[in-house]
Amino acid sequence: MSPTTCHGPDGVDLSREAAWVLHAAVLDHVERLVAAGRSPDHALTILDRIESCEPLDATDRDLVRDALSTYDAPDRDREPVASIRAALSPPRTDRR
């Protein structure tokens, strides 16, 4: 039996490239928290969840969206950032 391949957190369909961008954005967020003298504990927990393919809860997703919105992504990562944000957006409930 071959090992299961995971690209990011469970329940979020990401390409390998997008999973790396997500990881980079959250890691950048951790570094900015540390530089500001704030605790990175929750962000580090999210990094662990991303790496181990565990699901993200609503609070995790809020932090990830914040990390993505403040991530100074290189040009090559701007499209994956947009796709990750779309994948993490809550489902719309106002359908008419």
Side-chain angles (χ1 to χ4, degrees), residues 4-24:
T4 304
T5 302
C6 132
H7 299 302
D10 188 33
V12 183
D13 187 23
L14 299 177
S15 67
R16 183 176 180 167
E17 175 188 18
W20 276 108
V21 171
L22 173 60
H23 188 275

Side-chain angles (χ1 to χ4, degrees), residues 5-9 12-28 47 50-51 64 68 71 73-74 76-78 80-81 83-84:
T5 302
C6 132
H7 299 302
V12 183
D13 187 23
L14 299 177
S15 67
R16 183 176 180 167
E17 175 188 18
W20 276 108
V21 171
L22 173 60
H23 188 275
V26 176
L27 182 58
D28 179 71
L47 269 181
I50 292 167
E51 292 171 359
V64 170
L68 289 166
Y71 179 50
R76 71 176 183 274
D77 291 347
R78 294 195 193 280
V81 165
S83 70
I84 297 165

Side-chain angles (χ1 to χ4, degrees), residues 22-38:
L22 173 60
H23 188 275
V26 176
L27 182 58
D28 179 71
H29 185 75
V30 166
E31 291 169 348
R32 285 184 282 115
L33 288 171
V34 170
R38 296 175 52 205

Side-chain angles (χ1 to χ4, degrees), residues 90-96:
R92 292 187 56 167
T93 58
D94 64 336
R95 296 177 195 227
R96 295 171 191 210

Side-chain angles (χ1 to χ4, degrees), residues 30-60:
V30 166
E31 291 169 348
R32 285 184 282 115
L33 288 171
V34 170
R38 296 175 52 205
S39 171
D41 291 350
H42 187 206
L44 288 171
T45 298
I46 292 171
L47 269 181
D48 288 341
R49 289 181 183 152
I50 292 167
E51 292 171 359
S52 61
C53 301
E54 294 178 27
L56 301 176
D57 66 23
T59 304
D60 299 340

